[in-house]
Amino acid sequence: MDVFLSYLLVFALALPLGWYMARVFSSQSTFLDVVCSPLENLVFKLLRVNPRQGMTWRGYALALVFTNLPLGLLAYLIFLFQGSLPLNPDNIPNMPWDLALHTAASFITNTNQQHYSGQAQLSYFSQLVAIVTLMFVTPAVGLAAMVAVLRGIMGGLRPDDNTGAIPAANLGNYYVDVFRAMTRVLLPLSLVLALLLTWQGVPSTLDSAKTATLLEPSAESTTQTIPIGPVAAMVAIKQLGTNGGGWYGPNSAVPLENPTPLSNLLQMIAILLIPVASVFMVGFFTHRPRFGVSIMGCMVLLSAALTFFMLVTALEPNHAFKGLAASSANMEGVEQRFGATLSALWATWTTQTSNGSVNAMMDSLNPLAGLVPMVGMWLNVTFGGDGVGLLNFFTYLIVTVFIAGLMVGRTPELFGRKIEAREMKLASIALLISPLLILVPSALTVAMPSLAANSNPGFHGLSQIVYEFSSATANNGSGFEGLGDNTVWWNVMTSICLILGRFIPIIAPLAIAGLIGMKKAAPQSAGTLRVDTPIFAATTLSVILIVGALSFFPVAVMGPIAEHLTLGQALPQPIPLEGVR
Amino acid sequence: MMQSSHRRAGSIIPQGQFATLLLESAKKLSPLYLAKNPVMFIVLIGTVITAVLSVEKIISSQSFLYELTITVLLFLTVFFATFAESVAEARGKAQAASLRSARADTPANRVLDDGKIEMVSSTTLKHDDLVRVGVGQLIPADGEIVQGLAMVDESAITGESAPVLREAGGDFSSVTGGTKVISDEIIVRVTSLPGESFLDRMIALVEGANRQKTPNEIALGILLAGFTLIFVLVVATLLPLAAFIGVRLEVTTLIALLVCLIPTTIGGLLPAIGIAGMDRALRANIIAKSGRAVEVAGDIDTLLLDKTGTITLGNRQATAFIPVPGVTEERLAKAAHLSSLADNTPEGKSIVELAILRGSRVETGLREQAEFIEFSAQTRMSGINTPDGKQIRKGAPDRMMRLVRESFQKVPPELQADVERVARGGGTPLIVTEDGEALGVVALSDIVKKGIKERFAQLRAMGLRTVMITGDNPLTAKAIAAEAGVDDFLAEATPEDKMRLIKAEQQKGKLVAMMGDGTNDAPALAQADVGLAMNSGTQAAKEAGNMVDLDSDPTKLLEVVEIGKQLLITRGALTTFSITNDVAKYFAIIPAMFASTIPSINALNIMQLSSANSAILSAVIFNAVVIPMLIPVALRGVSYRPMSAETMLTRNVLIYGLGGVIVPFIGIKAIDLVVGLVF
């Protein structure tokens, strides 16, 4: 019931938000123009950006890369030298180079995978300037790229929509899109959420950590240091921006970060809100409501299936207690305040979107329940990260259009625009990213135990490794934990996954949209493939499952499934690779 | 047509060619050749590796049966793929050979500069040579008639038994080498040499010698290569990952898994599907200049169809006699009959037939005594002066009404109304007069072909728009268009109008197909996305189009579209089948890989396969044999009926998608029941 109501609330809020976002990105007037427009004009003047200048896919992609690069670099330098920078009342030291690299990569990619523990290793300056800035910018970048792709598949903006005519499909102006996403979508929403969370008791201060005297002092300690800070502001954007990185190490399981049932509900809704609203936006933005509904249908079905499977498996009793009289749901690693159901729901939602915040310990989930978050990240299309979830879906859509288009006896086309060799090349590259960045580093990690310093053996140990790389590649950020991941090996390897896993799946769809946007559209007829019918949605779903999930069937078997099947049996011992063959 | 239906029958493999086919397939096993096909190239590499492993085992005298069996199966997988391609090529060649047989060495009468005739072999002819061809002689090479006219039997090329008229100048001046002159004598200027003629060049294309991959084939190839790469990653990383959980995997087994997962079915059949598409066109007596042309045919949105021959039966026919008040139908029929006695046009003959049907008879001897008035451009009427002095005339309404007035007779008001009614109904009204008195109207109508309306309805369901092209006036054209159920029409069409229409449609993003024969059609044929030239047409028209119809049958345009669609559907269907097959293969092989070390994993062995080795072998065997089993589908194309895109998608997703998931479960289980007895 809780689950159903939570879904319902998300959809009730996302529908009007989607409508509003479509207006924002079509440059139609909105109620925030009074505040935003003058600010916008000022910023563009300072940055010397002509907001009416359209961009080709190349221009858009270059602007995207060359704004992200300096931001990432800046964040890296801040982490590296935070000890000597201001706003550091708790005297937190500099980060080592590899951890700084990983943290910068993690936040510039909207992942927020944390190999550090929030409150202990980041100064207020790092949190506020580097982390929170990137938390606002990166979801805006994702939304902007998505909007550009939508413009491309509809043939680009018309020439009269911009001043400078450009030779290829006009995908809009990157700076305008990012700025509008930040000022008109992310900022106002986070402001509301931050206030609500502060009301619920989440700290909102720049004071240093509090020291409390323990009521029951023990021999070792008589006082406890309680880190606080501007937590509410960060948590709001952490959830809305599919970021996921918490102020505190244990994330939203910490009472200060997530104090009440209401704050838990608010945060859960915030996780799904913008990704779901983006799908609603597709229908409004393209003026093809049925297209939006069909994408929504695919995603809802997948999301519901994952959630259902999660609830069934996570609420099974812990295997260690099997046979005991009082067997309830597995409560290991579950925050008692929220209970098993809401923890399970959070776990699946946070990995269906590329959020990655947690309110329970993923590592302690029953084995099959631990598979659900992984599937969510392998597919990465059930709503997905802000903007990028739809981009991933778009790649599958292109592949489906190609195969289904042939089956209706025409050379494949999306909205009348042909999909040819170059588009297929780009889509294939995007498809390849997930298996490449998850399977290959995992294999290297187990093949070189001395280098990787892997901590745990057996099926569960394998799950932890695969989970970590899945989380990095899918830009999710959640951790299975139980992995000693703050080492040079892990920091560098996951940084590679983070960056490639972010930018290639953004740039490939941009390029595809730019290429097909230039093509002449054939008019729709009874003989052309429609992408807004139930049968097409079902076909897309099958392609996602067969192409996206089947690649990971072997690791799923070797990890969670084998663990589930062998519960209570002796752990297998690794065999040296030289002995294989 | 008889011949073409004969060609359609027959088995998949051309008779008596099995040995040649095996040789051809073996030649294609060369790594250089296979490198063009990434999927099959990977299988070849896998075969080599398992072969080496087998030899290793044999040398170290270990049990090698499993490795050797896998090696043989992988080899067969590649071989079946090259075999499929060879069969497709052989069918094309057999088809081409039957066309060529008519074009062997023939004697030729070369006309020398001084006008003398020299007997030479056709092989020695050069460009622009003049040859004289008389009755009963074969035309030695393709050319243009420069002098004379003749009836030519073209059945060797077209299968059409009725001879056709060919004459110098105009649209019917081109003749084809290998056809026979059956009346008169013509002088032909040679335009291409035997073996290099236009048709020869195109036949060579069909044979696959110069075949180039089509754009869609390249795009699909890239997608398949992408899938292959994904599965290479999946399988390659399995070895260390499995070692981590204490499972030792055999390289042979990994290669078996890889080959099962990569899309070998479509990878193996893709070249054959492309060749077969052109081959199917050839079976319909259409020569496509490129595979691309066939592919584009599937995308056609608008069909420009000539009214005559496509929509209506050849010529107009008399369908009714409408007398004015005071005149019996009998009298009108008799008068019309008499006036048409000397009229040998199809229209005239049809008037006579209708009159006889209405009971009119002509007295014997009348023919010899009567005086016939021939139709001329000046008088614009024809008729007869009977021995008893009656002047009977028939002609177009405006001319005949003038005649009535000139004879100081009254034009009955009903006559005007009848004339308009016939014209509005799509017919051509003729007025018959006797001594200046109007008797009534003869209605000539186009007879719309039986079943054509249903055919157009099907095309509409497929999203195709049909435009009728006619020289008729708009009123007539509209009526016929309505009766035939075309979507639009172009009346009083000139070649320039056609060109404008094609460009306008293309401007809207549509692809247009048309058929034409005349030289003035050439620009439009070249502009259209599919230009189907009639073989009876001029050389210019044939050069301009991208397909030639040997039967010169206007309805072929519809067939071309269907062949194109069928080609694309076959590609899509087999791709879907190939990919969905992977589900069952995973469930066969993955449990088999791990169950020996981790017995609990046997819970995933949902097919209850008898042993690990048997499970893997069964999957590999299924993967190999599915290729030859699908060769007939690849060559004949998947069954296809015109229907809307949505219905078609639903149907094909159910058959090839859902079927692709279910069939291998059954197939692998069945094979396992046998293989399990040995392994």
Tab-separated table of all heavy atoms in Angstrom, chain A residues 156-187:
chain	number	residue	atom	x	y	z
A	156	GLY	N	15.123	19.277	-35.554
A	156	GLY	CA	15.843	20.484	-35.143
A	156	GLY	C	14.916	21.697	-35.089
A	156	GLY	O	13.788	21.652	-35.563
A	157	LEU	N	15.418	22.766	-34.478
A	157	LEU	CA	14.637	23.993	-34.419
A	157	LEU	C	14.547	24.590	-35.815
A	157	LEU	O	15.452	24.439	-36.616
A	157	LEU	CB	15.306	24.996	-33.472
A	157	LEU	CG	15.286	24.641	-31.991
A	157	LEU	CD1	16.106	25.650	-31.213
A	157	LEU	CD2	13.874	24.596	-31.463
A	158	ARG	N	13.445	25.278	-36.081
A	158	ARG	CA	13.309	25.922	-37.381
A	158	ARG	C	14.284	27.113	-37.459
A	158	ARG	O	14.639	27.677	-36.422
A	158	ARG	CB	11.872	26.393	-37.574
A	158	ARG	CG	10.965	25.282	-38.087
A	158	ARG	CD	9.505	25.676	-37.957
A	158	ARG	NE	9.100	25.780	-36.564
A	158	ARG	CZ	8.689	26.904	-36.000
A	158	ARG	NH1	8.651	28.014	-36.706
A	158	ARG	NH2	8.334	26.929	-34.735
A	159	PRO	N	14.720	27.474	-38.651
A	159	PRO	CA	15.719	28.540	-38.791
A	159	PRO	C	15.273	29.845	-38.124
A	159	PRO	O	16.096	30.580	-37.607
A	159	PRO	CB	15.852	28.737	-40.291
A	159	PRO	CG	15.312	27.504	-40.906
A	159	PRO	CD	14.342	26.903	-39.950
A	160	ASP	N	13.944	30.126	-38.130
A	160	ASP	CA	13.515	31.407	-37.574
A	160	ASP	C	13.536	31.404	-36.050
A	160	ASP	O	13.258	32.402	-35.412
A	160	ASP	CB	12.115	31.771	-38.077
A	160	ASP	CG	11.123	30.646	-37.883
A	160	ASP	OD1	11.273	29.631	-38.586
A	160	ASP	OD2	10.233	30.758	-37.034
A	161	ASP	N	13.849	30.237	-35.462
A	161	ASP	CA	13.951	30.202	-34.012
A	161	ASP	C	15.300	30.726	-33.524
A	161	ASP	O	15.511	30.927	-32.344
A	161	ASP	CB	13.762	28.772	-33.492
A	161	ASP	CG	12.304	28.367	-33.575
A	161	ASP	OD1	11.474	29.273	-33.715
A	161	ASP	OD2	12.017	27.164	-33.525
A	162	ASN	N	16.223	30.883	-34.433
A	162	ASN	CA	17.527	31.404	-33.999
A	162	ASN	C	18.013	32.431	-35.008
A	162	ASN	O	17.536	32.490	-36.138
A	162	ASN	CB	18.537	30.262	-33.860
A	162	ASN	CG	18.875	29.664	-35.197
A	162	ASN	OD1	18.008	29.519	-36.051
A	162	ASN	ND2	20.121	29.342	-35.403
A	163	THR	N	18.952	33.224	-34.610
A	163	THR	CA	19.401	34.284	-35.513
A	163	THR	C	20.411	33.764	-36.523
A	163	THR	O	20.218	33.881	-37.713
A	163	THR	CB	20.020	35.444	-34.721
A	163	THR	OG1	20.934	34.879	-33.774
A	163	THR	CG2	18.967	36.234	-33.998
A	164	GLY	N	21.489	33.154	-36.028
A	164	GLY	CA	22.513	32.679	-36.943
A	164	GLY	C	22.084	31.359	-37.550
A	164	GLY	O	21.889	30.387	-36.855
A	165	ALA	N	21.920	31.330	-38.861
A	165	ALA	CA	21.550	30.074	-39.502
A	165	ALA	C	22.750	29.140	-39.471
A	165	ALA	O	23.874	29.557	-39.689
A	165	ALA	CB	21.130	30.331	-40.949
A	166	ILE	N	22.517	27.876	-39.136
A	166	ILE	CA	23.618	26.923	-39.105
A	166	ILE	C	23.354	25.824	-40.112
A	166	ILE	O	22.206	25.558	-40.463
A	166	ILE	CB	23.824	26.342	-37.692
A	166	ILE	CG1	22.498	25.794	-37.128
A	166	ILE	CG2	24.414	27.376	-36.765
A	166	ILE	CD1	22.685	25.013	-35.856
A	167	PRO	N	24.433	25.189	-40.613
A	167	PRO	CA	24.277	24.290	-41.748
A	167	PRO	C	23.600	22.956	-41.407
A	167	PRO	O	23.055	22.304	-42.279
A	167	PRO	CB	25.721	24.036	-42.201
A	167	PRO	CG	26.541	24.269	-40.972
A	167	PRO	CD	25.831	25.323	-40.183
A	168	ALA	N	23.655	22.546	-40.156
A	168	ALA	CA	23.084	21.232	-39.824
A	168	ALA	C	21.884	21.423	-38.910
A	168	ALA	O	21.472	22.538	-38.634
A	168	ALA	CB	24.142	20.379	-39.146
A	169	ALA	N	21.337	20.265	-38.442
A	169	ALA	CA	20.165	20.340	-37.583
A	169	ALA	C	20.482	21.181	-36.351
A	169	ALA	O	21.504	21.005	-35.703
A	169	ALA	CB	19.752	18.936	-37.166
A	170	ASN	N	19.597	22.116	-36.036
A	170	ASN	CA	19.788	23.032	-34.920
A	170	ASN	C	19.223	22.410	-33.648
A	170	ASN	O	18.017	22.256	-33.506
A	170	ASN	CB	19.076	24.347	-35.263
A	170	ASN	CG	19.166	25.345	-34.137
A	170	ASN	OD1	19.743	25.070	-33.087
A	170	ASN	ND2	18.590	26.502	-34.364
A	171	LEU	N	20.120	22.041	-32.732
A	171	LEU	CA	19.669	21.366	-31.514
A	171	LEU	C	19.408	22.355	-30.379
A	171	LEU	O	19.124	21.958	-29.270
A	171	LEU	CB	20.716	20.341	-31.062
A	171	LEU	CG	21.060	19.238	-32.069
A	171	LEU	CD1	21.952	18.193	-31.418
A	171	LEU	CD2	19.820	18.560	-32.610
A	172	GLY	N	19.530	23.636	-30.657
A	172	GLY	CA	19.303	24.627	-29.603
A	172	GLY	C	20.626	25.106	-29.025
A	172	GLY	O	21.696	24.771	-29.527
A	173	ASN	N	20.530	25.924	-27.973
A	173	ASN	CA	21.747	26.481	-27.385
A	173	ASN	C	22.025	25.811	-26.043
A	173	ASN	O	21.189	25.838	-25.133
A	173	ASN	CB	21.576	27.990	-27.193
A	173	ASN	CG	22.858	28.643	-26.731
A	173	ASN	OD1	23.361	28.318	-25.664
A	173	ASN	ND2	23.392	29.540	-27.540
A	174	TYR	N	23.199	25.209	-25.939
A	174	TYR	CA	23.559	24.438	-24.748
A	174	TYR	C	23.499	25.287	-23.482
A	174	TYR	O	22.930	24.881	-22.467
A	174	TYR	CB	24.964	23.860	-24.931
A	174	TYR	CG	25.576	23.296	-23.679
A	174	TYR	CD1	25.180	22.053	-23.194
A	174	TYR	CD2	26.558	23.993	-22.983
A	174	TYR	CE1	25.732	21.543	-22.038
A	174	TYR	CE2	27.120	23.485	-21.832
A	174	TYR	CZ	26.707	22.255	-21.355
A	174	TYR	OH	27.253	21.741	-20.217
A	175	TYR	N	24.073	26.496	-23.547
A	175	TYR	CA	24.147	27.334	-22.342
A	175	TYR	C	22.757	27.725	-21.861
A	175	TYR	O	22.473	27.717	-20.668
A	175	TYR	CB	24.988	28.585	-22.621
A	175	TYR	CG	26.374	28.241	-23.097
A	175	TYR	CD1	26.719	28.326	-24.432
A	175	TYR	CD2	27.333	27.786	-22.188
A	175	TYR	CE1	27.977	27.965	-24.878
A	175	TYR	CE2	28.599	27.440	-22.616
A	175	TYR	CZ	28.928	27.527	-23.967
A	175	TYR	OH	30.167	27.182	-24.378
A	176	VAL	N	21.900	28.052	-22.829
A	176	VAL	CA	20.535	28.428	-22.463
A	176	VAL	C	19.830	27.264	-21.794
A	176	VAL	O	19.184	27.415	-20.749
A	176	VAL	CB	19.754	28.890	-23.718
A	176	VAL	CG1	18.303	29.159	-23.364
A	176	VAL	CG2	20.406	30.118	-24.312
A	177	ASP	N	19.963	26.080	-22.385
A	177	ASP	CA	19.273	24.910	-21.844
A	177	ASP	C	19.747	24.603	-20.425
A	177	ASP	O	18.941	24.334	-19.537
A	177	ASP	CB	19.496	23.691	-22.753
A	177	ASP	CG	18.766	23.831	-24.076
A	177	ASP	OD1	17.786	24.604	-24.116
A	177	ASP	OD2	19.180	23.183	-25.057
A	178	VAL	N	21.065	24.616	-20.220
A	178	VAL	CA	21.603	24.302	-18.895
A	178	VAL	C	21.129	25.344	-17.887
A	178	VAL	O	20.676	25.029	-16.791
A	178	VAL	CB	23.144	24.256	-18.929
A	178	VAL	CG1	23.711	24.170	-17.517
A	178	VAL	CG2	23.620	23.069	-19.746
A	179	PHE	N	21.206	26.601	-18.311
A	179	PHE	CA	20.851	27.672	-17.390
A	179	PHE	C	19.379	27.614	-17.022
A	179	PHE	O	18.997	27.758	-15.860
A	179	PHE	CB	21.198	29.022	-18.019
A	179	PHE	CG	21.322	30.121	-17.017
A	179	PHE	CD1	22.485	30.246	-16.258
A	179	PHE	CD2	20.284	31.000	-16.792
A	179	PHE	CE1	22.595	31.234	-15.314
A	179	PHE	CE2	20.387	32.006	-15.848
A	179	PHE	CZ	21.548	32.123	-15.096
A	180	ARG	N	18.552	27.356	-18.024
A	180	ARG	CA	17.110	27.273	-17.755
A	180	ARG	C	16.800	26.079	-16.850
A	180	ARG	O	15.957	26.177	-15.953
A	180	ARG	CB	16.335	27.139	-19.067
A	180	ARG	CG	16.332	28.423	-19.855
A	180	ARG	CD	15.426	28.364	-21.069
A	180	ARG	NE	14.893	29.698	-21.294
A	180	ARG	CZ	13.631	30.034	-21.091
A	180	ARG	NH1	12.766	29.133	-20.722
A	180	ARG	NH2	13.236	31.266	-21.280
A	181	ALA	N	17.470	24.970	-17.076
A	181	ALA	CA	17.237	23.790	-16.236
A	181	ALA	C	17.581	24.108	-14.786
A	181	ALA	O	16.872	23.719	-13.855
A	181	ALA	CB	18.068	22.617	-16.736
A	182	MET	N	18.689	24.863	-14.607
A	182	MET	CA	19.102	25.161	-13.235
A	182	MET	C	18.163	26.162	-12.573
A	182	MET	O	17.660	25.929	-11.481
A	182	MET	CB	20.529	25.709	-13.230
A	182	MET	CG	21.568	24.605	-13.320
A	182	MET	SD	23.177	25.158	-12.753
A	182	MET	CE	23.636	26.263	-14.042
A	183	THR	N	17.933	27.287	-13.272
A	183	THR	CA	17.191	28.362	-12.602
A	183	THR	C	15.703	28.103	-12.533
A	183	THR	O	15.041	28.514	-11.599
A	183	THR	CB	17.390	29.707	-13.338
A	183	THR	OG1	17.004	29.525	-14.700
A	183	THR	CG2	18.834	30.152	-13.260
A	184	ARG	N	15.161	27.431	-13.527
A	184	ARG	CA	13.709	27.302	-13.561
A	184	ARG	C	13.213	25.950	-13.100
A	184	ARG	O	12.025	25.781	-12.846
A	184	ARG	CB	13.189	27.592	-14.964
A	184	ARG	CG	13.244	29.059	-15.329
A	184	ARG	CD	12.961	29.218	-16.805
A	184	ARG	NE	12.703	30.592	-17.185
A	184	ARG	CZ	13.642	31.483	-17.429
A	184	ARG	NH1	14.903	31.155	-17.284
A	184	ARG	NH2	13.332	32.708	-17.801
A	185	VAL	N	14.096	24.963	-12.998
A	185	VAL	CA	13.634	23.647	-12.556
A	185	VAL	C	14.314	23.239	-11.250
A	185	VAL	O	13.651	23.045	-10.230
A	185	VAL	CB	13.891	22.577	-13.641
A	185	VAL	CG1	13.397	21.218	-13.176
A	185	VAL	CG2	13.204	22.968	-14.952
A	186	LEU	N	15.635	23.142	-11.276
A	186	LEU	CA	16.327	22.543	-10.133
A	186	LEU	C	16.325	23.451	-8.900
A	186	LEU	O	16.025	23.009	-7.801
A	186	LEU	CB	17.759	22.178	-10.530
A	186	LEU	CG	17.846	21.075	-11.590
A	186	LEU	CD1	19.249	20.976	-12.160
A	186	LEU	CD2	17.433	19.733	-10.998
A	187	LEU	N	16.669	24.739	-9.121
A	187	LEU	CA	16.755	25.644	-7.962
A	187	LEU	C	15.427	25.792	-7.226
A	187	LEU	O	15.370	25.573	-6.010
A	187	LEU	CB	17.288	27.008	-8.402
A	187	LEU	CG	18.804	27.193	-8.279
A	187	LEU	CD1	19.237	28.505	-8.896
A	187	LEU	CD2	19.238	27.120	-6.812
